[in-house]
Amino acid sequence: MNIANLPVNISTARARLPATYEKAKTALSNCASIDECKDWADKAEALASYARQADDDTLRKMADRIQARAVRRCGEILKTFNNERARTDLDEGALTQKKAADAAGISDHQRVTAVRVANVPEQEFEEVVESDDPPTVTNLAQRGKKPRQPPPPPPTEHLQGRDPQQFYAATHTIGAMRRFAEKCAEYEPEFVAGG
């Protein structure tokens, strides 16, 4: 995928949908607007038909599966962009996941959810989506949530008898204090207090 050729703003409102998807929407719309049973003279037959429709969740399950696959594919595409956190080697104009999602009209919540769904191993994803009770997108995102890994401890050869965990805590605290001091130098105290 050539990132340089992506448009700045991608309109989801004008995005094309697959023809079969459009046909399915039309068919479901017709089902929702045309209630053949309501005019049936035999009320018992109409009642039996309504009861059967109410118990049939086949269409909902199909829709859940389609939605899960669409969210996963969205996440897979987003994962091809550099993550915003990995800024060390990024050019100033490099397109990050966040920038690409913003350009496509995808909220931060939708972006994170899609990437998490894409993190679910493919075999696990297929098994649960094709199960008798497919999970919600939220449940799939929980499955793909990666726990944050703490940074590795620093090398210990220069500690000379000091506790490595204490040294690690001290150096990170000093770094945090340095960043705090830099922020304090950036803004006047009265300005910050007014906020």
Side-chain angles (χ1 to χ4, degrees):
M1 175 180 294
N2 188 351
I3 296 173
N5 293 336
L6 284 175
V8 175
N9 284 324
I10 304 166
S11 173
T12 55
R14 294 185 312 214
R16 290 183 302 157
L17 292 172
T20 52
Y21 186 87
E22 287 291 354
K23 288 177 185 174
K25 281 177 52 179
T26 302
L28 285 173
S29 177
N30 288 338
C31 284
S33 63
I34 301 170
D35 185 355
E36 296 174 16
C37 301
K38 72 178 178 183
D39 296 328
W40 289 358
D42 186 344
K43 298 225 184 284
E45 189 177 358
L47 183 61
S49 179
Y50 281 130
R52 184 172 175 191
Q53 290 175 56
D55 284 341
D56 187 357
D57 58 359
T58 306
L59 294 176
R60 182 194 51 80
K61 288 179 182 179
M62 284 180 178
D64 287 348
R65 290 180 181 117
I66 291 167
Q67 182 184 34
R69 286 196 168 86
V71 170
R72 180 179 176 84
R73 187 62 187 125
C74 183
E76 289 170 346
I77 293 171
L78 284 169
K79 285 174 69 170
T80 65
F81 297 99
N82 292 320
N83 193 328
E84 191 174 28
R85 289 191 185 112
R87 291 203 167 271
T88 52
D89 300 329
L90 290 180
D91 295 333
E92 194 62 35
L95 193 57
T96 63
Q97 274 184 16
K98 180 166 177 36
K99 287 179 184 176
D102 288 346
I106 298 170
S107 72
D108 285 341
H109 176 73
Q110 290 170 318
R111 174 179 57 87
V112 169
T113 298
V115 170
R116 286 179 178 169
V117 171
N119 287 339
V120 177
E122 188 171 353
Q123 183 175 349
E124 179 185 347
F125 176 84
E126 286 301 324
E127 285 174 8
V128 297
V129 166
E130 288 301 322
S131 70
D132 287 339
D133 189 21
T136 64
V137 168
T138 302
N139 182 277
L140 285 168
Q142 280 299 111
R143 288 172 177 260
K145 190 174 183 180
K146 292 184 177 180
R148 288 190 182 208
Q149 298 293 325
T156 57
E157 57 270 0
H158 65 286
L159 296 179
Q160 301 170 355
R162 289 184 261 182
D163 181 292
Q165 289 180 325
Q166 286 179 327
F167 181 79
Y168 178 77
T171 56
H172 280 272
T173 302
I174 291 168
M177 291 172 71
R178 189 171 289 133
R179 287 188 299 278
F180 178 72
E182 289 168 0
K183 284 294 176 193
C184 288
E186 244 179 86
Y187 301 105
E188 293 294 323
E190 297 81 16
F191 177 75
V192 175

